[in-house]
Amino acid sequence: MSTRTPIPVPEAISRVIEKSKAGGTERVQLKDTIGRYLAEDIVADHPIPHFNRSAFDGFAIRSDDTLEANFENPIELKLIESIAAGQVATKEVGSHEATRIMTGAQVPIGADAILALELSETLEKEGEVWVRLNRPIPKGTHISEKGEDVQEGAILAHKGRRISAGEMAMLAMFGYHEVQVYKQPIVGIFVTGTELLPVEAEIEPGKIRNSNSYMLESQIKALGGIPQFYGLLPDDFELCYREINEALKKVDYLITTGGASVGDFDYVQDIVAKLGADTLFNKIAMRPGSVTTVATLGDKWIFGLSGNPAACFVGFELFARPVLRTFSGSKAPHLPRSKARLSHAIKKPNPFTRFTRAKAELQGSQVVVSSIGVDKSGIASALVEANALLVVPGGTRELKEGEELEIIWLDRYEEGYKHV
Amino acid sequence: MSTRTPIPVPEAISRVIEKSKAGGTERVQLKDTIGRYLAEDIVADHPIPHFNRSAFDGFAIRSDDTLEANFENPIELKLIESIAAGQVATKEVGSHEATRIMTGAQVPIGADAILALELSETLEKEGEVWVRLNRPIPKGTHISEKGEDVQEGAILAHKGRRISAGEMAMLAMFGYHEVQVYKQPIVGIFVTGTELLPVEAEIEPGKIRNSNSYMLESQIKALGGIPQFYGLLPDDFELCYREINEALKKVDYLITTGGASVGDFDYVQDIVAKLGADTLFNKIAMRPGSVTTVATLGDKWIFGLSGNPAACFVGFELFARPVLRTFSGSKAPHLPRSKARLSHAIKKPNPFTRFTRAKAELQGSQVVVSSIGVDKSGIASALVEANALLVVPGGTRELKEGEELEIIWLDRYEEGYKHV
C-alpha cells in the first residue's frame, strides 16, 4: 500500500495540463464534422458578399435620378432587364433606367441603389414597362457592398474550435468540402468492484448495479470522445494487470473506477506501479473524489477514479476532461467557471475544498446558486438535478446567503433549468 | 402572390406551440439512449443505499464499546471477520468485536459505526487479531443509512427529460437495461435558389455556395433530430411541388430555405397553397427572418425559412426548435432566456423587434452582453462568434449601456466563451 499525500486541486489540475498534448488530425467530409474540432483555420476564399449584392426585391436604379422625386412629382424609370438571384445582368443601368432584381442578386453596373418593390408601381406604356416612384432613394440603399461582411483571406474561426452550426455555415460558404479535424480520443473504461452487478441483474443483498461505465460513456461522448467499455475487472491482480496492459494498446486513455481507495482489495496503485507508469498524483485535498489517481505511460494516460458515482463524475470532469479536450485540439479544455451568489448560508465547516452538486440559475441577469441535497459524496441522485458544481473553499468560516462563490458550469441545457 | 400580414413574435411562437405535439416512443438499449428524451419516469426499484453501507475502509464496530476510549486508555476489539464490498458478513458483531469492512460493503448486524482504518492499529495476540483505537466513535460514523440517498419508488427524473450523464447513471443503477424514449424527429431539408453552388464548386460571379443545409443539419442534430438533406429544389414549380410532396411522405418535418420572399421566383407560398397546407403565419414583425413561413399539413409541418444564413438560423431556433423538441417529448422546448446588461449603448432606432447575434459572458456573477458586428441580416460571420441572441425591442428609444435586456442563450459551450 503506497503512502498518499493529498495535493491541492489547482496543483493537480496544473500537473494534468502540463502533460496534456494535442492528438493527431485527419481529413473528414464536411457533413461528418459536426461536433469535431478544427485542425485548420477557416479562411475566406472570397469576400462576402463577393459582389455588390441586392438586399431586397425590387429595382436596381441610379440614385441621382431620384433626387427630385416626391409625392406630387413622381419620376418614371424605364425597365430594361429582369434578373433573378444567380443570374447576372447583361446591360448597364443608364440614366432613368431600372433593372428588376431579386434579393441576393448582383447589382448591375451603373446602378447604386435598390428601389424596394413595395415603394414602386409598374406601368406599361406603348409596349414598354416603366417603374414609378415618388421619393428619393439614397445611394447604397438595400445594397450589401462587396466585402462588407467578410474580406477575402479573413480568418473566420481558428483551429481548436469545436464545429457547430455557425462554423458549419462558414466551412460550407468557403468551400471546405473536406475539413482537417483533430482525431477523437479513444477512451477505455474498466469498472472494478466485486459488489457490482450488470444493469440487467436483479438487485441482491450487498450488491449494486454498475452505473459508472454508462455515466462515463455519456461524459466522454459529450466532449467528443469515443468510449470503449471493457467490462468488470476480475478480482485477481495478475489477470487484472494483463487486461489493463492489453487495453492500453488499443486506446489513448484508460479510466478505471473503484479500487482507488486504501482498502485491502484496491490495487489500482499496484497496477500503475507494475506498468511502470508515472503517477502525477494519487490523492487530492478535495471532497468528493479525494482518492483520484492519474498516471501516464508514454503518451497513454490512466485515470483511476473513485467507484462512488458522484466522486467519479467530479474526478472525470476536473482531471480527465481537460486532457481529452486538449487531445481534441481545444484551447479551452476546462468546463466554464463563473461566480454565483449563494441562495442560502453554508454553515458546516469542512477542512477540504468541496465540489458540491448545485443548481445555478439566472435571476434577472444575476447568477444564483443553491447546493443540492445532503452534502455527502454518496448522493448520486443529485447528479440528475445538478447543472453546476459549487466550489466550497476549505476552512471553518460560515458562508452567508448572498455571498459570491465560484461555480463550474456542467454541460447541460436541459429541462428544469432556466439556463444552461 | 399572397398578401402578408406581419404578426408579433410572441404571437407566432404561441401559434407554433399550440399546434405542437409529442411524437411516438420506442424501446432502446440503455447505452444507445445518450441524448434521447425519456418517455417514462426513472423510478427507483430499490432504496439507495439498499442496505446500511460502509462509507469508509475500516472496521464495523459497536459505538457503545468505544465510549470510554481515549489516548491514555485505548480499547481493543477482537477481529472476527473480514468482508469485502460485494460480500456479506456471516457473523453478527458482538460486544468488543470488530469486522474488517471495505467502502461500499453492507454493515454487519450488530455494528452501528465504522472505525476508519487510519484511526486504528492492528495487533496479534495469541493467534488472534485485535484492533486498537484511542477515541470514541459516535454511532452512525461513516455509515450511509439504507434509503438515505433515494427511497424505493422515488422518481429520479420525469419523462421528457433529455438523457445525459446523471440520467444514465440513474437508469443503470435502477436496472433500466432498456428504456422507453421518444422517437427522434426526421427533418427533411431543401434549399432553393438558382444562385446556389454546391460546396465543392469554385465560386462564380453572382453565385454563392449552399451553406444553409449544413448549418441546419447541425442545428437539427444538436437538438436530437435526424436531418435528411434532399438537395436543391429545381427552378420549376411543378417539379418543385412534386419533390416536396414526395419528401413529405418520408419525414416528420420539412424545411425549405430561400424562396420565401416576395420576389417573382419565390413560390414556397404557392406550394403551401397547392398542398392544401394550413399556414400558421408567413410574415413576422422581426429582423432578421421576417419572411418566415410555417404551415401544417395533418401532422406534418413545413418551415419556409429565409435563404439568408443569419435569418435562417434565427427562424429555425425560434420556430422550428420548439416544434421538434415538443415532438421529442421535451417539456421545455425553447432555448433558455435570461436578462443581461448591455455593454454598450444601442442608438439606432428600429420599428421591428430585432434578434441580433451577441456574445454574452459572466463578469463575476453578472451577465453582460454585447452585440456582434454590424447589425444587418447579411452578417453571416457573426454566427461563429455568437453564443446568444440579444432581443432588441422595436421602437425609437435609445438603449443605454448597463440597461437590462432579454437574451436567448444558444446551444454553445465553446472556446472563446468564458461561459456557455
Side-chain angles (χ1 to χ4, degrees):
Chain A
M1 218 183 294
S2 57
T3 320
R4 299 187 175 200
T5 313
I7 61 170
V9 177
E11 168 69 16
I13 290 174
S14 305
R15 289 190 192 177
V16 153
I17 286 294
E18 205 172 287
K19 283 221 162 191
S20 296
K21 274 188 221 157
T25 70
E26 60 188 333
R27 217 154 177 74
V28 169
Q29 290 287 312
L30 177 57
K31 68 177 178 44
D32 300 323
T33 63
I34 297 170
R36 301 293 295 270
Y37 292 81
L38 286 170
E40 60 180 329
D41 297 340
I42 306 179
V43 181
D45 74 336
H46 61 78
I48 292 201
H50 68 116
F51 46 79
N52 288 346
R53 182 175 62 189
S54 175
F56 229 83
D57 290 317
F59 300 93
I61 59 166
R62 297 165 76 116
S63 57
D64 278 356
D65 293 346
T66 70
L67 292 178
E68 310 293 318
N70 61 45
F71 202 70
E72 284 76 33
N73 299 296
I75 62 141
E76 291 175 1
L77 307 172
K78 187 182 164 191
L79 185 70
I80 56 165
E81 192 176 6
S82 282
I83 52 169
Q87 292 177 354
V88 181
T90 58
K91 293 177 187 159
E92 186 173 330
V93 175
S95 180
H96 288 84
E97 291 181 344
T99 291
R100 180 79 177 86
I101 194 167
M102 299 291 117
T103 303
Q106 183 166 348
V107 177
I109 294 166
D112 65 1
I114 304 298
L115 163 67
L117 199 61
E118 293 90 311
L119 301 181
S120 69
E121 202 183 331
T122 44
L123 41 151
E124 246 191 88
K125 286 195 294 196
E126 296 157 19
E128 287 176 331
V129 179
W130 292 78
V131 181
R132 183 187 281 165
L133 69 158
N134 55 22
R135 68 183 79 183
I137 306 298
K139 189 174 167 177
T141 300
H142 299 318
I143 291 180
S144 302
E145 275 182 44
K146 178 177 174 174
E148 178 184 281
D149 186 355
V150 177
Q151 304 211 322
E152 187 172 338
I155 294 175
L156 278 308
H158 288 275
K159 69 181 212 172
R161 186 192 284 267
R162 198 164 187 178
I163 298 169
S164 59
E167 291 78 12
M168 283 300 276
M170 291 303 111
L171 286 165
M173 216 171 263
F174 297 116
Y176 288 77
H177 55 100
E178 288 182 341
V179 189
Q180 197 72 19
V181 294
Y182 283 96
K183 286 187 178 164
Q184 298 176 276
I186 299 169
V187 188
I189 303 168
F190 278 112
V191 294
T192 74
T194 45
E195 78 280 19
L196 294 183
L197 296 170
V199 65
E200 300 79 11
E202 281 304 307
I203 202 77
E204 287 174 27
K207 306 255 179 183
I208 54 170
R209 297 191 188 99
N210 159 41
S211 60
N212 284 334
S213 72
Y214 293 93
M215 184 176 69
L216 286 167
E217 288 202 32
S218 176
Q219 289 176 285
I220 292 163
K221 282 192 179 170
L223 56 77
I226 300 171
Q228 300 279 1
F229 180 43
Y230 291 121
L232 187 70
L233 274 181
D235 193 20
D236 170 316
F237 181 78
E238 283 305 321
L239 216 55
C240 196
Y241 169 76
R242 280 206 302 278
E243 288 217 19
I244 287 184
N245 203 20
E246 273 312 301
L248 273 170
K249 296 173 188 160
K250 292 179 273 183
V251 300
D252 301 307
Y253 302 99
L254 194 64
I255 296 177
T256 66
T257 75
S261 198
V262 291
D264 298 354
F265 299 87
D266 291 337
Y267 35 59
V268 165
Q269 295 310 304
D270 299 334
I271 285 171
V272 162
K274 183 160 178 178
L275 285 165
D278 181 15
T279 300
L280 302 194
F281 51 81
N282 56 23
K283 189 150 190 170
I284 306 159
M286 65 182 257
R287 295 283 184 276
S290 66
V291 288
T292 304
T293 293
V294 178
T296 59
L297 185 65
D299 280 345
K300 312 263 171 151
W301 292 61
I302 301 154
F303 298 92
L305 303 181
S306 167
N308 172 289
C312 179
F313 180 87
V314 171
F316 178 89
E317 293 298 338
L318 291 188
F319 307 113
R321 177 193 173 89
V323 178
L324 269 52
R325 294 252 306 193
T326 300
F327 182 96
S328 302
S330 173
K331 301 281 187 288
H334 300 294
L335 284 171
R337 290 179 178 232
S338 77
K339 299 279 184 188
R341 286 197 196 286
L342 272 178
S343 73
H344 53 80
I346 297 181
K347 298 218 159 103
K348 204 178 146 199
N350 194 305
F352 299 99
T353 303
R354 281 175 297 155
F355 292 81
T356 66
R357 273 85 57 211
K359 199 160 166 176
E361 61 174 5
L362 282 163
Q363 294 179 358
S365 61
Q366 172 69 51
V367 188
V368 175
V369 67
S370 349
S371 89
I372 296 173
V374 194
D375 177 38
K376 289 203 176 180
S377 71
I379 309 304
S381 55
L383 286 176
V384 176
E385 294 290 316
N387 67 341
L389 295 171
L390 172 63
V391 187
V392 184
T396 51
R397 193 173 67 81
E398 177 188 326
L399 300 163
K400 297 196 182 61
E401 182 185 329
E403 218 171 301
E404 274 199 344
L405 284 193
E406 189 164 62
I407 63 168
I408 299 174
W409 293 86
L410 302 176
D411 272 355
R412 294 204 59 141
Y413 280 109
E414 294 321 316
E415 285 64 31
Y417 308 118
K418 195 161 177 173
H419 160 60
V420 178
Chain B
M1 217 180 291
S2 57
T3 319
R4 298 187 176 201
T5 314
I7 62 169
V9 177
E11 167 68 18
I13 290 175
S14 306
R15 290 191 192 177
V16 152
I17 286 294
E18 204 172 288
K19 282 220 159 191
S20 296
K21 274 190 218 154
T25 71
E26 59 188 335
R27 216 152 178 78
V28 169
Q29 290 287 311
L30 177 57
K31 70 179 176 45
D32 299 323
T33 62
I34 298 170
R36 302 292 296 270
Y37 292 80
L38 287 170
E40 59 180 328
D41 296 341
I42 307 180
V43 182
D45 73 337
H46 61 80
I48 292 202
H50 68 116
F51 45 80
N52 287 346
R53 182 176 63 189
S54 174
F56 229 82
D57 290 318
F59 299 93
I61 60 166
R62 297 166 75 115
S63 56
D64 277 355
D65 293 345
T66 71
L67 291 176
E68 310 291 318
N70 59 46
F71 201 72
E72 285 76 33
N73 300 297
I75 61 139
E76 291 175 4
L77 308 172
K78 186 180 164 192
L79 186 69
I80 55 163
E81 191 177 9
S82 281
I83 51 168
Q87 292 179 356
V88 181
T90 58
K91 294 177 185 157
E92 184 173 333
V93 176
S95 181
H96 288 83
E97 291 181 341
T99 290
R100 181 79 176 86
I101 194 167
M102 300 291 118
T103 303
Q106 183 166 349
V107 177
I109 293 166
D112 65 2
I114 305 297
L115 163 67
L117 200 60
E118 294 89 310
L119 299 182
S120 69
E121 203 182 332
T122 45
L123 39 149
E124 248 192 83
K125 288 195 293 194
E126 298 158 20
E128 286 176 333
V129 180
W130 292 78
V131 181
R132 183 186 282 165
L133 69 159
N134 57 23
R135 68 183 77 184
I137 306 298
K139 189 174 170 177
T141 299
H142 299 317
I143 291 180
S144 301
E145 275 181 46
K146 179 177 175 175
E148 177 184 280
D149 186 354
V150 178
Q151 305 212 322
E152 188 171 338
I155 294 175
L156 278 307
H158 288 275
K159 70 180 210 171
R161 186 190 283 267
R162 198 165 186 178
I163 299 169
S164 60
E167 290 77 13
M168 283 300 276
M170 291 304 110
L171 286 166
M173 216 171 262
F174 297 115
Y176 288 76
H177 55 100
E178 287 181 340
V179 189
Q180 198 72 20
V181 294
Y182 283 95
K183 285 186 179 166
Q184 299 175 276
I186 299 169
V187 188
I189 303 168
F190 279 112
V191 293
T192 73
T194 46
E195 77 281 18
L196 294 182
L197 296 169
V199 65
E200 299 80 9
E202 283 303 308
I203 202 79
E204 287 173 28
K207 305 257 179 182
I208 55 169
R209 297 191 188 97
N210 159 41
S211 60
N212 284 335
S213 73
Y214 293 93
M215 184 176 71
L216 286 167
E217 287 202 32
S218 176
Q219 290 175 284
I220 292 163
K221 281 191 180 171
L223 55 77
I226 300 172
Q228 300 280 1
F229 180 42
Y230 291 119
L232 186 70
L233 276 181
D235 191 19
D236 169 316
F237 181 79
E238 283 304 322
L239 216 56
C240 196
Y241 168 77
R242 282 206 302 277
E243 287 217 19
I244 287 184
N245 203 20
E246 272 311 301
L248 273 171
K249 294 174 189 161
K250 292 180 275 184
V251 300
D252 301 306
Y253 302 99
L254 194 63
I255 296 177
T256 67
T257 76
S261 198
V262 290
D264 297 355
F265 298 87
D266 291 337
Y267 35 59
V268 165
Q269 294 311 303
D270 299 334
I271 286 171
V272 162
K274 184 161 178 179
L275 284 166
D278 181 15
T279 300
L280 302 193
F281 50 83
N282 57 21
K283 189 150 190 169
I284 306 159
M286 65 182 257
R287 295 281 184 275
S290 65
V291 288
T292 304
T293 293
V294 178
T296 58
L297 185 65
D299 280 345
K300 313 263 171 152
W301 291 61
I302 301 155
F303 297 93
L305 304 180
S306 167
N308 172 288
C312 179
F313 180 88
V314 171
F316 178 89
E317 293 298 339
L318 291 187
F319 307 113
R321 177 194 174 87
V323 179
L324 270 52
R325 294 251 308 193
T326 300
F327 182 95
S328 302
S330 172
K331 300 280 188 288
H334 299 292
L335 285 171
R337 291 180 177 230
S338 78
K339 299 279 184 189
R341 284 195 198 287
L342 272 179
S343 74
H344 53 80
I346 296 180
K347 298 217 159 102
K348 204 178 146 199
N350 193 306
F352 299 100
T353 302
R354 280 175 297 155
F355 292 81
T356 68
R357 272 85 58 213
K359 200 161 163 175
E361 61 174 6
L362 281 163
Q363 294 179 359
S365 62
Q366 173 68 50
V367 189
V368 175
V369 67
S370 349
S371 88
I372 295 172
V374 194
D375 177 37
K376 289 202 179 181
S377 72
I379 308 304
S381 55
L383 287 175
V384 176
E385 294 290 316
N387 67 342
L389 295 171
L390 172 62
V391 186
V392 184
T396 52
R397 193 173 68 82
E398 178 186 325
L399 299 164
K400 296 197 183 60
E401 182 185 329
E403 217 172 300
E404 275 199 343
L405 284 193
E406 190 165 60
I407 64 168
I408 299 173
W409 293 86
L410 302 176
D411 272 355
R412 294 204 59 140
Y413 279 110
E414 292 324 315
E415 287 63 32
Y417 308 116
K418 199 163 174 166
H419 160 60
V420 177

